[in-house]
Amino acid sequence: MLNRRHIRIKVMQTVYAFKGGESGAFDKEQKFLLQSLDKTYNLYLLMLSLLIEVQKKAQDHLNKSMQKHLATEADKNPNRKLVNNEVLQLLMASEPLQEALEDYKITHWHFDDEYVDIVFKELLASPLYADYMKTRVSDFKEDKLFLIDLYRDIIAPNEKLYDYLEDTHMTWVDDLPLVNTAILKLLRKVKPNAPSRFFTPELYKDDDDKDFAVSLFRKTILNQTAFKKIVEDRTKNWDSDRIADIDYVLLIMAICEINKFPSIPVKVTINEYLEIAKEYSTPKSSIFINGILDKLVKELQESDTLNKTGRGLM
């Protein structure tokens, strides 16, 4: 589920917060990095479980309508299309998902039920719901498309939900775009015969990605003096106070990749850090960072000291 860019962002945040030197211990910071990455999965489970809570809210809404003292015929014989949504039924029937929710202690909506109410009420008032409930029966494809629209148009952009997540865990705001994308991809791919583990993907694509996170952090910290010297030698005409702190971090991480990760293409490294700079630093940071890295790479190529192996890695 995690991609390399998100891993780089997590490492950037950890390096930025690190106040020690190369000779000091940084086990605490490394542990924080891995926990921060793991928390992304907590958020994934939390957001996916919100769909289940919406189904429960819909069922409760029907039960209350049927129990009205002066119930109408429509109240007595309600449209059960939403509560019977086939994709929601798959979610609720997934034992691995239910086990993961229990293992990761995803009980937020039980204690903060008002946010489920906010989403459900917005759904009830939406044209999406009105169109979906025009009929009483549907097929798997219609149910799936409805859930995709519900998540994309109502849940993902909900500002109150965003504020709640920001208050609950400080790194979740950075994780939310990745998690939203992952959930939408799963919903688009789900099929009626989806295996029970379909909704519980692995956090890391493979062990290499987890190793990359730890290695990038450690190598950046252990060589930060040398990497900062490389930056300083190429910014002598710059007032150091004018260089954003986050730009320093992105530069030494990029230099670390260029020098210490032979299998990662130079273009990939530079493009990744330019995109991160556009999102996390100043408007002109990507231009500044690109200039420094481009100059460095040309110098390494000219001196035949660019440490890259394999074809197409320059």
Side-chain angles (χ1 to χ4, degrees):
M1 186 175 71
L2 288 173
N3 56 48
R4 285 286 178 103
R5 181 175 299 172
H6 201 68
I7 290 172
R8 288 180 174 97
I9 289 170
K10 291 290 190 181
V11 174
M12 174 197 73
Q13 292 169 338
T14 310
V15 172
Y16 182 81
F18 182 71
K19 303 303 180 184
E22 295 171 358
S23 60
F26 44 83
D27 291 346
K28 180 180 178 182
E29 287 77 12
Q30 182 175 309
K31 183 179 179 182
F32 170 82
L33 169 63
L34 293 175
Q35 287 177 338
S36 180
L37 288 163
D38 287 342
K39 284 290 183 182
T40 306
Y41 203 72
N42 290 59
L43 179 61
Y44 164 78
L45 292 172
L46 180 64
M47 296 304 290
L48 193 63
S49 70
L50 184 54
L51 291 172
I52 296 175
E53 295 304 317
V54 167
Q55 193 275 352
K56 292 178 181 178
K57 190 68 66 174
Q59 181 65 66
D60 184 59
H61 181 71
L62 290 187
N63 292 341
K64 289 179 179 177
S65 296
M66 293 171 66
Q67 293 170 6
K68 286 181 182 177
H69 179 63
L70 298 175
T72 65
E73 198 59 38
D75 292 330
K76 295 177 182 177
N77 185 29
N79 186 343
R80 304 186 62 83
K81 188 174 178 179
L82 175 55
V83 298
N84 291 335
N85 182 288
E86 290 187 55
V87 182
L88 287 176
Q89 293 299 319
L90 277 180
L91 276 168
M92 298 175 70
S94 172
E95 290 185 8
L97 176 58
Q98 298 304 322
E99 290 171 1
L101 294 174
E102 184 175 342
D103 291 343
Y104 282 82
K105 297 179 173 56
I106 307 299
T107 57
H108 302 63
W109 307 129
H110 176 72
F111 297 102
D112 298 309
D113 183 63
E114 64 268 27
Y115 293 96
V116 183
D117 273 331
I118 288 170
V119 170
F120 185 63
K121 288 176 181 177
E122 186 174 338
L123 172 62
L124 291 183
S126 69
L128 170 65
Y129 180 79
D131 290 342
Y132 181 66
M133 300 298 283
K134 283 179 180 178
T135 62
R136 284 178 169 259
V137 294
S138 60
D139 57 18
F140 190 87
K141 181 179 179 180
E142 184 185 357
D143 286 348
K144 179 168 77 169
L145 291 175
F146 169 77
L147 273 197
I148 291 170
D149 289 341
L150 164 59
Y151 195 90
R152 184 190 62 213
D153 299 338
I154 293 178
I155 292 177
N158 190 285
E159 292 185 4
K160 291 183 179 178
L161 198 56
Y162 181 94
D163 291 340
Y164 168 73
L165 294 173
E166 186 176 35
D167 291 341
T168 303
H169 197 278
M170 63 180 181
T171 65
W172 274 355
V173 172
D174 292 315
D175 298 335
L176 191 57
L178 176 79
V179 166
N180 286 340
T181 299
I183 290 176
L184 286 170
K185 281 183 178 179
L186 277 180
L187 291 176
R188 291 186 181 108
K189 291 180 180 179
V190 68
K191 296 179 181 179
N193 59 348
S196 61
R197 290 198 169 276
F198 179 81
F199 294 108
T200 52
E202 296 293 330
L203 177 62
Y204 297 96
K205 183 176 62 177
D206 50 43
D207 290 340
D208 287 346
D209 278 352
K210 186 174 183 179
D211 292 341
F212 171 71
V214 174
S215 185
L216 178 59
F217 170 68
R218 294 183 68 88
K219 288 179 179 180
T220 299
I221 294 301
L222 288 171
N223 296 278
Q224 58 181 311
T225 301
F227 295 155
K228 286 180 179 178
K229 181 70 164 54
I230 291 173
V231 175
E232 290 167 0
D233 287 346
R234 286 152 186 80
T235 55
K236 289 180 179 179
N237 295 327
W238 283 75
D239 182 348
S240 60
D241 292 337
R242 290 177 55 205
I243 302 175
D245 290 343
I246 203 72
D247 290 356
Y248 261 119
V249 172
L250 292 175
L251 278 168
I252 64 173
M253 286 176 62
I255 293 169
C256 180
E257 277 193 35
I258 290 170
N259 284 282
K260 303 294 184 180
F261 291 81
S263 65
I264 300 178
V266 168
K267 288 184 178 179
V268 170
T269 293
I270 293 177
N271 288 338
E272 286 289 281
Y273 286 100
L274 293 184
E275 290 303 314
I276 295 172
K278 290 175 183 177
E279 185 175 354
Y280 287 90
S281 199
T282 69
K284 295 183 179 180
S285 289
S286 61
I287 299 172
F288 168 70
I289 290 172
N290 185 55
I292 301 299
L293 296 179
D294 185 60
K295 183 178 180 181
L296 173 62
V297 170
K298 286 178 180 177
E299 291 173 0
L300 292 173
Q301 288 174 332
E302 290 171 359
S303 62
D304 198 26
T305 54
L306 184 59
N307 182 26
K308 294 294 173 185
T309 58
R311 298 179 60 186
L313 294 182
M314 299 302 187

